[in-house]
Amino acid sequence: MEKKMRPKIIQQLRYLTIKNFKSMIREVSQLVWIFGYPLVFILLFRFGYGLEVFNIFAPGVIILAPIVLISQLAGHFAEEKESGTLQRLVTTPVSRSTVLLSGLFSQLIVAAVQIVVMLLLTLLFGVSINPNANIFLLFFIPFLVAFTSLGFGLILASVVRTASSAGGLAWFIILPLQFLGGLLTAPLLDFIPTALAAEAMGAVMIYGSTAFDPIGLNLILIAIWGIGLILLGILLFRRKTAIL
Amino acid sequence: MEIAIETHNLKKYFDEIHAVDGIDLQIPKGSLFGVLGPNGAGKTTIIRMLSTILHPTDGTATVLGFDIKKEALEIKKRIGVCPQELVLYPRLTARENIHLIAQMHGMAKKDYKERTDDLLGKMNLLDRANSLVKGFSGGMKRRVNVLMAVIHEPELLFFDEPTAGLDPQSRRVVWDFIRDFQERECTIILTTHNMEEADDLSDELVIIDHGKIISQGTPDELKGKLGEGDILEFKIKEIEQRNEIIERAKSLEFVRWGKPVGKHRIVLNALDGLRRVSEIMEVIKVKMEDISVRKNTLEDVFIDITGRRLRD
């Protein structure tokens, strides 16, 4: 029996990620939130303000998409804590780190799908993209923002007790990131990840730029934000769910 | 005798609360060992420490020969834990919930698929195997909760109040299931506050209260400690005179002991109590609301030691 049953971390990670996906896609409200929130702004700008305004704000709206993952990830881990499933899982030979990584992986896959869908929708609704725009950067910039969102989500999941409070408190992060970062208005704090990403996205999408400043520099700064937030989130989450 | 679990002076304190306060246990391999006690006695805390998800404040413990502090992973590979709460993924099906635990243990796909269907059949859940658990009744969820603990055929199983909230019919299904596991020489630790469950299933048991073991033995040994008399339980109106009434009863040579229980009751142990109820009534002179006469139960053992019911 023991020979047959040798749990491998990669397999555990795969099965947990699949489990997370199944749980997510079977909850319609989560799908509506993930795709619906950015879609509302696409429709608003395109049909409310017209194509000219839509062209200006499309980069910010695409950056908006991965920001919603903050509440998604925080809700996911808060639910695992609240329902006791996290504790049940760790009575099996799976580590807390593997459970944590599976949550991050599944959200990153969601982010990738979400960004592609939002890019395709903006194109479908007639946004003008500079012919010299680098397609990879159009995907990579919002994807990097997804990392910072996961960091914020983990930190939030560490401090809340329930999934519903995670969902509510997430707005205190999402809205400042959205408005102070200038995704839908002029930026007020140009050092926060959303402001850095919106500037880089606009440069690529509208001007077809590949210059180090703002693109390369901003990407490095967003990556620093992302790594810092995720490390802090992991540290806090592990501490809050540690064996006492 | 091979030992499955051994603890020495095991303690767990949460600030001022002594949840587990110096427990010494030796549980033989292959036995079904009951841990009986009221809510808050420390039963779940013991299980959580032995299943390595809670560190003891003091003391030592080995599970299947592995130290709970230093060799947690080795223990986790060999145990199954059925928590008291219904810990399931509501948006997964019954089958997916069970598969997930098998996958975490690294079971081969073919093995866990076959075994899951077999187990679901035994728990009368096969026709709902592909339904999302969120639509299940409490009893069905409880049965899936049990199956998640046993899918990987662990050497040692912890059942923490496995039948809490179940109807009598479902409770019987779970009891039969647990007995079936015991026949396969799996060691089982069963916590319960249900004396019938502890009496019916356990080879040996401990009764704990306020984090301490207050009695230990086989169910028959524990009940035997109370003597061979019958248990007479009275509900009386003169509650302020309960101690005097008990003293009067104890003046009869065939009354072995008496205790006040709850707010209105008196429990007496009397030899040949059924035939001598009228004699007792004559001596104690009370206005009774009801009376019952029965054989000793584990609850009477608990009452004898603590003066309280398990449910109090």
Side-chain angles (χ1 to χ4, degrees):
Chain A
M1 174 65 76
E2 212 174 305
K3 233 181 182 181
K4 270 194 294 180
M5 287 171 52
R6 206 169 283 162
K8 293 193 177 86
I9 292 172
I10 297 293
Q11 280 185 353
Q12 290 174 331
L13 199 56
R14 182 165 73 93
Y15 287 126
L16 286 170
T17 305
I18 292 169
K19 179 269 293 177
N20 294 340
F21 260 116
K22 283 181 177 169
S23 288
M24 201 187 308
I25 60 174
R26 286 171 184 168
E27 185 64 60
V28 178
S29 64
Q30 290 194 18
L31 293 177
V32 169
W33 166 238
I34 292 167
F35 293 101
Y37 185 67
L39 181 63
V40 165
F41 288 97
I42 288 179
L43 296 175
L44 182 74
F45 281 108
R46 174 62 185 87
F47 299 105
Y49 295 102
L51 191 56
E52 206 172 318
V53 176
F54 182 48
N55 281 334
I56 296 165
F57 284 100
V61 172
I62 292 165
I63 297 297
L64 189 67
I67 301 295
V68 302
L69 296 181
I70 293 171
S71 84
Q72 192 65 24
L73 186 82
H76 166 78
F77 280 121
E79 191 181 4
E80 291 261 17
K81 277 199 302 182
E82 185 185 6
S83 65
T85 47
L86 179 64
Q87 199 152 61
R88 178 157 211 169
L89 278 178
V90 296
T91 62
T92 71
V94 68
S95 69
R96 264 159 233 266
S97 306
T98 308
V99 178
L100 201 70
L101 270 180
S102 77
L104 296 176
F105 269 6
S106 39
Q107 297 301 331
L108 280 177
I109 296 168
V110 170
V113 174
Q114 194 195 29
I115 291 162
V116 169
V117 168
M118 290 307 139
L119 280 169
L120 290 174
L121 281 175
T122 50
L123 281 171
L124 184 73
F125 288 124
V127 76
S128 305
I129 293 182
N130 190 296
N132 296 324
N134 182 317
I135 301 295
F136 171 74
L137 284 175
L138 288 180
F139 173 82
F140 187 68
I141 295 166
F143 192 68
L144 210 51
V145 174
F147 276 91
T148 64
S149 295
L150 297 187
F152 280 120
L154 261 181
I155 293 167
L156 186 57
S158 309
V159 296
V160 297
R161 285 180 188 273
T162 65
S164 55
S165 59
L169 286 173
W171 283 104
F172 287 92
I173 304 173
I174 293 173
L175 288 178
L177 282 174
Q178 184 176 313
F179 288 103
L180 298 176
L183 299 186
L184 308 173
T185 52
L188 292 172
L189 298 173
D190 52 11
F191 60 88
I192 61 174
T194 39
L196 295 165
E199 188 184 21
M201 194 74 176
V204 176
M205 207 165 167
I206 298 167
Y207 304 109
S209 172
T210 51
F212 180 75
D213 187 4
I215 299 157
L217 183 65
N218 285 17
L219 289 186
I220 290 169
L221 292 172
I222 300 166
I224 291 170
W225 267 103
I227 292 166
L229 287 168
I230 284 186
L231 287 178
L232 180 63
I234 289 173
L235 193 76
L236 283 174
F237 192 80
R238 285 180 61 89
R239 186 176 291 176
K240 290 281 180 178
T241 59
I243 298 174
L244 298 171
Chain B
M1 180 180 68
E2 275 194 274
I3 299 296
I5 292 177
E6 189 160 18
T7 73
H8 294 289
N9 198 29
L10 195 65
K11 291 179 182 172
K12 183 66 189 180
Y13 296 166
F14 298 103
D15 298 323
E16 301 300 307
I17 299 163
H18 295 191
V20 174
D21 201 6
I23 296 275
D24 294 307
L25 287 173
Q26 268 206 338
I27 301 175
K29 266 191 182 170
S31 64
L32 201 159
F33 193 88
V35 182
L36 181 67
N39 291 331
K43 305 185 297 290
T44 300
T45 308
I46 293 172
I47 295 248
R48 290 174 58 161
M49 283 192 283
L50 295 176
S51 57
T52 77
I53 57 171
L54 195 64
H55 285 315
T57 307
D58 198 8
T60 58
T62 57
V63 174
L64 300 167
F66 298 102
D67 187 286
I68 59 166
K69 287 182 199 163
K70 296 173 191 157
E71 295 165 298
L73 183 61
E74 292 305 318
I75 294 171
K76 286 176 182 182
K77 285 179 188 171
R78 292 166 174 82
I79 63 168
V81 181
C82 176
Q84 186 177 350
E85 303 81 19
L86 296 171
V87 182
L88 310 162
Y89 287 100
R91 294 186 294 277
L92 295 188
T93 66
R95 188 174 266 136
E96 286 166 348
N97 267 288
I98 299 165
H99 282 180
L100 182 69
I101 300 296
Q103 288 158 350
M104 293 304 103
H105 279 277
M107 270 181 97
K109 195 172 190 175
K110 185 175 166 288
D111 291 347
Y112 70 69
K113 282 192 159 182
E114 276 176 18
R115 190 165 153 70
T116 300
D117 282 5
D118 178 42
L119 290 171
L120 284 166
K122 281 183 181 163
M123 285 285 203
N124 304 325
L125 285 170
L126 203 49
D127 56 335
R128 300 294 303 274
N130 292 325
S131 305
L132 297 187
V133 158
K134 68 177 176 183
F136 280 17
S137 68
M140 290 163 77
K141 285 179 183 168
R142 178 72 59 193
R143 281 179 273 161
V144 177
N145 204 38
V146 169
L147 295 185
M148 287 169 77
V150 302
I151 177 65
H152 54 292
E153 295 195 77
E155 286 176 53
L156 190 140
L157 262 166
F158 293 102
F159 283 113
D160 192 4
E161 308 264 5
T163 58
L166 281 184
D167 59 85
Q169 193 189 349
S170 300
R171 195 180 304 149
R172 289 279 161 200
V173 172
V174 173
W175 286 2
D176 289 343
F177 189 82
I178 292 173
R179 277 195 204 96
D180 184 44
F181 254 86
Q182 193 195 9
E183 281 165 20
R184 296 183 210 179
E185 296 182 0
C186 176
T187 309
I188 298 172
I189 314 300
L190 171 81
T191 76
T192 181
H193 66 269
N194 180 326
M195 63 214 152
E196 190 191 352
E197 187 165 278
D199 197 351
D200 206 39
L201 293 176
S202 309
D203 297 321
E204 193 181 345
L205 58 91
V206 286
I207 300 179
I208 64 168
D209 193 29
H210 299 302
K212 291 180 191 286
I213 293 176
I214 55 173
S215 198
Q216 181 166 2
T218 66
D220 286 342
E221 280 169 0
L222 292 176
K223 287 183 286 183
K225 283 180 187 171
L226 295 182
E228 291 175 355
D230 297 317
I231 298 293
L232 288 84
E233 187 170 326
F234 303 92
K235 186 175 182 188
I236 58 167
K237 286 186 174 166
E238 301 92 334
I239 50 171
E240 64 285 350
Q241 295 164 27
R242 276 201 300 185
N243 289 336
E244 290 166 40
I245 294 166
I246 289 167
E247 286 310 313
R248 287 205 292 274
K250 279 158 82 175
S251 68
L252 293 163
E253 58 175 323
F254 56 88
V255 173
R256 302 167 69 96
W257 54 261
K259 301 256 180 190
V261 172
K263 286 183 182 168
H264 299 276
R265 290 180 187 271
I266 287 172
V267 174
L268 301 177
N269 178 300
L271 289 169
D272 206 10
L274 182 58
R275 286 202 301 121
R276 294 171 120 162
V277 171
S278 55
E279 276 179 71
I280 296 169
M281 296 303 301
E282 219 168 273
V283 172
I284 63 176
K285 294 187 183 84
V286 289
K287 286 178 189 159
M288 269 187 313
E289 292 192 359
D290 66 46
I291 178 172
S292 67
V293 185
R294 53 183 162 77
K295 289 286 172 199
N296 284 337
T297 66
L298 290 172
E299 177 139 24
D300 299 315
V301 179
F302 189 78
I303 291 168
D304 179 43
I305 301 167
T306 66
R308 289 183 289 122
R309 281 185 188 283
L310 277 164
R311 289 181 295 271
D312 285 350

